[in-house]
Amino acid sequence: MLALHHGWSRRQPSAGPGYSIVSTEEDGHKVSALGSMNGHSRNGKGHAPRRKHRNRFVKKNGQCNVYFANLSNKSQRYMADIFTTCVDTRWRYMLMIFSAAFLVSWLFFGFLFWCIAFFHGDLNAPAAGGSPSLLKPCIMHVNSFLGAFLFSVETQTTIGYGFRCVTEECPLAIMAVVVQSIVGCVIDSFMIGTIMAKMARPKKRAQTLLFSHHAVISVRDGKLCLMWRVGNLRRSHIVEAHVRAQLIKPYMTEEGEYLPLDQRDLNVGYDVGLDRIFLVSPIIIVHEIDEESPLYGIGKEELETENFEIVVILEGMVEATAMTTQARSSYLASEILWGHRFEPVVFEEKNHYKVDYSRFHKTYEVAGTPCCSARELQESKMTILPSPPPPSAFCYENELALVSQDEDEDDDEVGVVLGGSTKEEGGVIQMMDFGSHLDLERLQATLPLDTISYRRESAI
């Protein structure tokens, strides 16, 4: 696009958005290279360089993006803990393993019974027209390998059709039946235990624990805070639920040692117990950016070039099984929205509270959020006061609250307005009924910003 004809810039004095006018094709390549490397925009002003691409340490679905290589004695170590290996393996492989185990045991003992019958002479067919042998066989009605295999299957699965049976003629056959019965019980127990453990794993419970797609940084109670939202999609509770967060980024020590994945904790309220949550409805987790926070010196511009990852963890016990589950997710620096807040998702209905998960991931921009870091705010002795914003930056929650009052109260107030009331509140409601957005903005500066509880989602 930047490689233009030699005389094109003289004939075209102006350019549309997204294009750079240059005199020669060589200059076009130079401008393209400088724009991509130095971060210059088309208006000549410089901006922050592009963020280096970073591979996720923890994927959005909670899987760790780690590959183990050059492990010594890997097979022996995995076979030493065969139960955990079977539980961690995929269903198709596990079913293949158990099917193969049953088939191998049936074939092995079937071959053993066939050998016993062969050496005992039970497989010798009587001569034509002659009388059958008076020798009692070890296993009744086993005259071939197929018959021995069927007897092995009947013995291990305890089917017992009553046609083939072992006799007291051969003690070795009796011992083989006892050993096969024990081996069959061991295989059954191992298979049932593994399948039950695999089905009841709390790992699947983590699929119904939800994290917001983005994290946000905005002002809460006069301080910059990092926030993300968690939710539980099931009606069953997570007992003793608590959250943790860690910031992962490359770090160079004072001695010159390079740590590619340095992990630092983000305080989400351990000291005061705010990390323990009652996860019945979606909750916003808050990390206050203070002097001990790794984000203390990061502002909006620095966030655009930072190369870190925030891993968030939600742990608790599954109410149905009392087993501990852990749900994980992560946020790259590009997935953190500066100056945003989450939209409300909990609304009060007539007899209950309603959670609207269609708004779970939605955010909105908050005007007036400082772009500097928390350190700069502290050094400049600035205090973020909840002063009334200008009409163009009216608080989203207050506007949402004004239009979501109880329907009965709205009907009464509208009746007062229609009756000739001259109160200020009546005037506001009348303007809202007429849908005049401009008149509402003129009065927003004079409205008090008291916290009003929003109730009904249908009024939004």
Side-chain angles (χ1 to χ4, degrees), residues 5 18 28 45 63 75 83 105 134 177 185 188 192 204 208 222 236 263 285 324 357 372 381 387 407 414 421 425 446:
H5 194 270
K45 296 182 181 181
Q63 295 181 355
S75 301
F83 183 79
S105 64
L134 298 178
V177 170
C185 290
D188 291 342
I192 295 174
K204 297 301 181 182
T208 53
S236 59
Q263 302 182 12
I285 309 301
T324 303
Y357 272 99
C372 59
K381 306 297 183 181
S387 58
E407 294 180 354
V414 171
S421 176
E425 292 79 5
T446 61

Side-chain angles (χ1 to χ4, degrees), residues 268-308:
V268 290
Y270 313 125
D271 49 352
V272 294
L274 295 179
D275 61 320
R276 296 185 291 273
I277 58 177
F278 183 48
L279 193 59
V280 177
S281 62
I283 295 179
I284 297 178
I285 309 301
V286 180
H287 163 67
E288 182 181 327
I289 305 177
D290 53 11
E291 294 83 353
E292 299 179 356
S293 173
L295 305 175
Y296 187 57
I298 297 178
K300 183 177 181 180
E301 294 183 358
E302 292 81 2
L303 183 63
E304 297 176 354
T305 58
E306 281 290 333
N307 183 25
F308 63 80

Side-chain angles (χ1 to χ4, degrees), residues 200-392:
R201 273 193 310 175
K203 182 178 180 181
K204 297 301 181 182
R205 181 62 174 89
Q207 303 297 325
T208 53
L209 298 176
L210 196 61
F211 292 90
S212 57
H213 291 162
H214 294 86
V216 299
I217 293 180
S218 62
V219 177
R220 174 171 284 195
D221 294 332
K223 298 179 182 179
L224 282 176
C225 297
L226 171 70
M227 294 173 284
W228 65 93
R229 183 146 58 186
V230 296
N232 181 17
L233 300 182
R234 289 187 180 273
R235 297 182 64 88
S236 59
H237 299 169
I238 298 296
V239 183
E240 295 292 334
H242 58 278
V243 293
R244 294 189 292 120
Q246 287 187 333
L247 186 140
I248 300 177
K249 65 179 298 184
Y251 175 69
M252 183 73 70
T253 64
E254 297 179 358
E255 295 77 15
E257 181 184 3
Y258 178 73
L259 304 177
L261 296 173
D262 181 57
Q263 302 182 12
R264 299 192 178 184
D265 286 336
L266 296 179
N267 188 2
V268 290
Y270 313 125
D271 49 352
V272 294
L274 295 179
D275 61 320
R276 296 185 291 273
I277 58 177
F278 183 48
L279 193 59
V280 177
S281 62
I283 295 179
I284 297 178
I285 309 301
V286 180
H287 163 67
E288 182 181 327
I289 305 177
D290 53 11
E291 294 83 353
E292 299 179 356
S293 173
L295 305 175
Y296 187 57
I298 297 178
K300 183 177 181 180
E301 294 183 358
E302 292 81 2
L303 183 63
E304 297 176 354
T305 58
E306 281 290 333
N307 183 25
F308 63 80
E309 179 180 0
I310 296 178
V311 178
V312 293
I313 302 172
L314 172 63
E315 293 180 337
M317 291 188 301
V318 181
E319 187 179 27
T321 61
M323 300 179 68
T324 303
T325 184
Q326 183 182 92
R328 298 178 295 267
S329 186
S330 67
Y331 300 101
L332 299 178
S334 59
E335 297 172 342
I336 300 177
L337 305 179
W338 189 282
H340 282 242
R341 291 178 186 167
F342 289 104
E343 289 191 4
V345 296
V346 181
F347 301 93
E348 183 179 359
E349 297 293 331
K350 185 176 181 180
N351 297 320
H352 61 276
Y353 291 91
K354 178 181 179 180
V355 178
D356 184 7
Y357 272 99
S358 65
R359 303 173 180 269
F360 184 84
H361 302 286
K362 294 182 180 180
T363 64
Y364 65 94
E365 189 173 4
V366 180
T369 303
C371 298
C372 59
S373 64
R375 175 183 296 171
E376 294 174 350
L377 287 176
Q378 181 67 22
E379 292 176 354
S380 60
K381 306 297 183 181
M382 292 177 59
T383 303
I384 306 175
L385 297 176
S387 58
S392 60

Side-chain angles (χ1 to χ4, degrees), residues 401-444:
L402 285 174
V403 298
S404 59
Q405 295 297 316
D406 198 355
E407 294 180 354
D408 297 335
E409 297 177 0
D410 288 343
D411 294 338
D412 296 339
E413 292 175 353
V414 171
V416 173
V417 173
L418 295 178
S421 176
T422 59
K423 293 184 180 180
E424 182 181 3
E425 292 79 5
V428 174
I429 296 173
Q430 185 178 10
M431 292 179 187
M432 291 174 60
D433 291 337
F434 284 101
S436 177
H437 182 69
L438 296 178
D439 294 340
L440 177 62
E441 286 189 350
R442 295 191 185 100
L443 291 178
Q444 284 171 354

Side-chain angles (χ1 to χ4, degrees), residues 82-88 91 94 98 102 184-201 323:
I82 185 63
F83 183 79
T84 304
T85 302
C86 292
V87 172
D88 290 340
W91 278 101
M94 190 190 68
F98 283 117
F102 280 116
C185 290
V186 172
I187 296 177
D188 291 342
S189 301
F190 194 84
M191 182 189 67
I192 295 174
T194 304
I195 292 178
M196 289 298 297
K198 194 173 182 64
M199 293 178 61
R201 273 193 310 175
M323 300 179 68

